[in-house]
């Protein structure tokens, strides 16, 4: 079968011919139809992540969509985080618990593009952030895949108003197309200025902030929260530290919460994924994405790493 292989951490993968995996008890063989190239794949393959240097060669791909007996499934893998292969191949072998049956008729490319990013957005909003109908939500980094999904999923959960913050013109456009009620440019390092921008478009205090950025944007967003408001952090692409002032934190009794998909049980993750697939089929959930053939995996990898892709790149075996 054709597969993508990482031979040396930090270098782009190559496409090779290798033996297909064989079935073993407790695992299932999946005919892969779509495998996204995600930031986590690049992080793991870089060799410097907190997971350690991966054992090479290995097939990358921490998630994918395929079929088992003709039925569609989404699946997760630990490729790059632990020994073993991932989704970027014609056939993948995964533990049965990591394969989730999907509704018939789903678009595998759309589901692959959403995947773990949409799960993170959904669970950070609802399970960790305890979003309830009628609340006002501020989504930072709303031009990314997590952010785009969060804007739409907040609406699905009943948010009355969704404000989006993004750092580039293209990202602001994606957030607006995702359905944000208002968009705010995150093009300043002035916390007070940024907080004023948020306040200008908000309908009163914000109830919940979803934050994949941290840094200055998170500090500014915290100032918009009502007393007892929540900020859920699930990333640090704007900074590993954040200048939230003590007066804001104490004076409003704010709740600052961390989130990671690693805390989810397989059952909770599966339930979230099924909801995401259902919303995608209804046309209420999608993110910017493009597809490329598996043979162009090296090019796709470089484009995703360099930030020149128009959205999440999904490889088609």
């Amino acid at each position: 079968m054709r597969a993508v292989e990482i031979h040396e951490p930090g270098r782009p993968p190559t496409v090779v011919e290798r033996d297909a995996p064989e079935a073993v008890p407790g695992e299932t063989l999946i005919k892969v139809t779509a495998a996204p190239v995600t930031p986590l794949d690049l992080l793991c393959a870089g060799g410097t992540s907190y997971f350690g240097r991966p054992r090479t060669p290995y097939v990358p791909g921490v998630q994918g969509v395929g079929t088992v007996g003709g039925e569609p499934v989404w699946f997760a893998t630990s490729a790059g985080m632990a020994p073993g292969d991932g989704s970027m191949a014609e056939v993948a072998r995964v533990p049965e618990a990591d394969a989730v049956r999907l509704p018939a008729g789903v678009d595998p490319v759309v589901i692959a593009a959403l995947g773990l990013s949409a799960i993170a957005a959904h669970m950070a909003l609802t399970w960790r952030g305890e979003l309830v109908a009628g609340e006002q939500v501020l989504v930072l980094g709303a031009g990314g895949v997590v952010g785009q999904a969060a804007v739409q999923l907040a609406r699905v959960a009943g948010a009355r108003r969704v404000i989006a913050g993004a750092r580039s013109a293209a990202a602001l456009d994606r957030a607006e197309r995702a359905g944000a009620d208002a968009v705010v440019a995150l093009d300043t390092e002035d916390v007070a200025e940024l907080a004023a921008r948020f306040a200008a478009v908000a309908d009163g205090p914000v109830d919940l902030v979803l934050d994949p950025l941290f840094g200055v944007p998170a500090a500014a967003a915290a100032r918009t929260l009502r007393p007892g408001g929540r900020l859920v952090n699930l990333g640090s692409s704007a900074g590993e530290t954040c200048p939230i002032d003590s007066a804001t934190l104490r004076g409003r009794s704010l709740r600052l919460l961390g989130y990671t998909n690693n805390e989810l049980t397989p059952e909770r993750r599966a339930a979230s994924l099924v909801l995401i697939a259902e919303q995608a089929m209804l046309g209420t959930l999608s993110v910017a994405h493009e597809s490329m053939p598996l043979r162009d995996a090296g090019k796709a990898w470089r484009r995703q790493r360099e930030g020149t892709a128009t959205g999440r790149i999904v490889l088609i075996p």
Side-chain angles (χ1 to χ4, degrees):
M1 69 171 185
R2 284 185 305 171
V4 177
E5 278 190 349
I6 296 291
H7 290 271
E8 183 180 344
R11 297 183 62 83
T14 57
V15 178
V16 301
E17 289 287 336
R18 57 150 56 190
D19 293 336
E22 297 181 356
V24 298
E27 297 192 331
T28 185
L29 294 180
I30 298 173
K31 182 179 179 182
V32 181
T33 53
V37 183
T38 71
L40 182 55
D41 293 313
L42 273 64
L43 175 68
C44 292
T48 58
S49 78
Y50 47 84
F51 297 111
R53 185 181 178 89
R55 184 183 300 173
T56 55
Y58 78 96
V59 176
V62 297
Q63 60 183 312
V65 177
T67 59
V68 176
E71 298 295 323
V73 297
W74 173 89
F75 63 97
T77 85
S78 58
M81 296 174 276
D85 294 322
S87 63
M88 297 182 194
E90 293 179 317
V91 178
R93 186 179 67 199
V94 302
E96 292 174 353
D98 290 331
V100 179
R101 296 281 178 175
L102 294 171
V106 296
D107 184 329
V109 175
V110 171
I111 301 303
L114 288 162
L116 290 168
S117 293
I119 290 172
H122 176 234
M123 298 307 290
L125 286 168
T126 60
W127 174 61
R128 196 71 171 121
E130 300 177 351
L131 173 61
V132 297
E135 290 191 316
Q136 181 171 217
V137 177
L138 170 56
V139 177
L140 300 177
V145 175
V146 171
Q148 292 172 68
V151 168
Q152 297 163 83
L153 288 166
R155 190 80 67 201
V156 169
R160 64 178 173 85
R161 185 170 178 81
V162 182
I163 303 162
R167 291 182 285 178
S168 70
L172 286 166
D173 180 63
R174 289 192 293 270
E176 194 165 31
R177 285 188 279 114
D181 293 295
V183 295
V184 174
L186 308 181
D187 58 358
T188 177
E189 291 294 303
D190 187 320
V191 174
E193 165 62 21
L194 200 50
R197 293 182 189 180
F198 291 142
V201 299
D203 179 20
V206 169
D207 299 286
L208 173 63
V209 173
L210 185 132
D211 167 39
L213 302 182
F214 215 46
V216 167
R223 295 189 182 186
T224 72
L225 285 167
R226 64 166 171 81
R230 297 94 68 203
L231 184 151
V232 181
N233 174 260
L234 61 163
S236 57
S237 60
E240 284 292 334
T241 59
C242 176
I244 294 179
D245 58 282
S246 178
T248 296
L249 184 62
R250 292 180 295 108
R252 302 183 190 184
S253 296
L254 299 183
R255 294 167 57 196
L256 304 184
L257 306 165
Y259 174 84
T260 171
N261 278 344
N262 293 335
E263 287 292 315
L264 300 179
T265 63
E267 294 78 15
R268 183 169 275 146
R269 183 179 64 187
S272 178
L273 197 281
V274 169
L275 179 144
I276 287 162
E278 291 171 347
Q279 293 300 318
M281 293 181 71
L282 290 171
T284 56
L285 178 60
S286 64
V287 294
H289 64 276
E290 59 177 295
S291 59
M292 294 179 67
L294 187 71
R295 64 175 178 272
D296 292 337
K299 180 180 178 181
W301 193 274
R302 286 189 292 270
R303 289 183 60 213
Q304 201 77 70
R305 184 178 60 191
E306 295 165 1
T308 59
T310 57
R312 179 62 47 81
I313 298 178
V314 179
L315 298 175
I316 309 299

